[in-house]
Amino acid sequence: QVQLVESGGGLVQPGGSLRLSCAASGSIFSIYDSNWYRQAPGNQRELVASISSVGNTRYADSVKGRFTISRDNAKNTVYLQMNSLKPQDTAVYYCNAAVRSTRTGPVINSWGQGTQVTVSS
């Protein structure tokens, strides 16, 4: 089975930075599109950033210019660099990836457990 494990969340002051990591482990043949979502209490889950298997990236307007998504294929890891953080960025952040475990197997969506990011003075 494929497992995604997130790390890097925590408490940071407005204007600060954090880097989230999402490491995939288990049987992995190929990782396709990877995404970061976030959800604050009372809010709907929001797609924050996406990166394709060839490195194309997309961002929500609310984070464009401040966040950067990247991937290290050798480490099976996706990152989210968050700069100029604002209180409204406070949320639980989840990583998601489309993964094929074997050459002929199906492509399935895998999710991390979520990591809390709190931006406050």
Side-chain angles (χ1 to χ4, degrees):
Q1 297 86 358
V2 175
Q3 184 178 12
L4 304 182
V5 179
E6 301 182 36
S7 61
L11 175 64
V12 65
Q13 293 184 338
S17 298
L18 286 173
R19 189 174 81 155
L20 305 183
S21 299
C22 179
S25 61
S27 180
I28 301 172
F29 177 78
S30 185
I31 301 177
Y32 302 101
D33 289 3
S34 300
N35 312 290
W36 285 95
Y37 290 83
R38 68 185 182 187
Q39 187 167 24
N43 291 354
Q44 293 185 329
R45 186 175 59 185
E46 175 188 22
L47 178 61
V48 175
S50 300
I51 185 167
S52 74
S53 60
V54 297
N56 295 325
T57 59
R58 294 183 293 141
Y59 300 93
D61 288 341
S62 58
V63 307
K64 191 174 299 182
R66 300 187 298 120
F67 290 10
T68 302
I69 188 171
S70 61
R71 63 194 297 168
D72 186 335
N73 292 331
K75 297 181 178 179
N76 289 324
T77 301
V78 181
Y79 304 96
L80 185 67
Q81 178 67 48
M82 306 184 295
N83 298 325
S84 302
L85 283 162
K86 305 174 180 179
Q88 52 263 50
D89 295 318
T90 295
V92 177
Y93 284 71
Y94 300 90
C95 65
N96 161 260
V99 181
R100 192 193 299 270
S101 294
T102 64
R103 185 178 64 85
T104 59
V107 177
I108 62 172
N109 285 315
S110 298
W111 290 85
Q113 80 285 358
T115 184
Q116 177 71 49
V117 172
T118 302
V119 185
S120 176
S121 299

